[in-house]
Amino acid sequence: QVQLVQSGAEVKKPGASVKVSCKASGYTFTNYYIHWVRQSPGQGLEWMGIINPSDGSTSYAQKLQGRVTMTRDTSTSKVYMELSSLRSEDTAVYYCARDRLVSGVSSTDVWGKGTTVTVSS
Amino acid sequence: EIVLTQSPGTLSVSPGERATLSCRASQSVSSSYLAWYQQKPGQAPRLLIYGASSRATGIPDRFSGSGSGTDFTLTISRLEPEDFAVYYCQQYGSSPCTFGPGTKVDIK
């Protein structure tokens, strides 16, 4: 079945970086864009950006430009989201989610279970 | 960026009753690229509606979406116990994609 499996929880100090992985299975990895969405404790959803696994092209939320990098490894069907210069406000659950359409940007119909990132000194 | 506003913030409804949730955009959402998600505590969001009115795979027909331009509605015709959750709208017609702040549907 189609699924996205994310890496485990992380605890980081302010100023550090974190890299979260998302492994896709059950479909052709390069056919569907992957979005990253985060959710701070008790808060709503925040779209972070998107990556095209076919060519690695990306688009990031302006708020995170310069701190976020999304990459992919087609040999392992994994996408990665790295966030640098972490601050306490980056404490959140980070989700990867597959776009619903082939080679398009749309809503997201398959979600990973989320990775909790805690930033604390 | 398009800002989405959802109302009400919390909706208290009895099982079996109808729930109507609103999502308003700060500017027109192109081609009705508007989605609705349901999220329960400790779980990832689940896609309910895309394209403003199309149900995602496996979504019961008690969920329906409508609207265009700047005003959209999610209606749950008869609330089941499993429908008590937070609902988010999302626009994906212009970059960046944005989410509304959510409407919590709880038991009256």
Side-chain angles (χ1 to χ4, degrees), chain B residues 72-89:
Chain B
F72 299 87
T73 299
L74 174 70
T75 301
I76 312 170
S77 60
R78 296 170 311 280
L79 273 153
E80 298 286 341
E82 61 268 27
D83 299 336
F84 293 95
V86 179
Y87 293 83
Y88 295 95
C89 59

Side-chain angles (χ1 to χ4, degrees), chain B residues 3-33:
Chain B
V3 177
L4 299 178
T5 304
Q6 292 187 242
S7 60
T10 301
L11 184 61
S12 297
V13 187
S14 299
E17 289 188 339
R18 181 187 192 92
T20 302
L21 288 65
S22 173
C23 176
R24 180 162 289 177
S26 60
Q27 52 190 283
S28 184
V29 176
S30 61
S31 303
S32 294
Y33 287 156

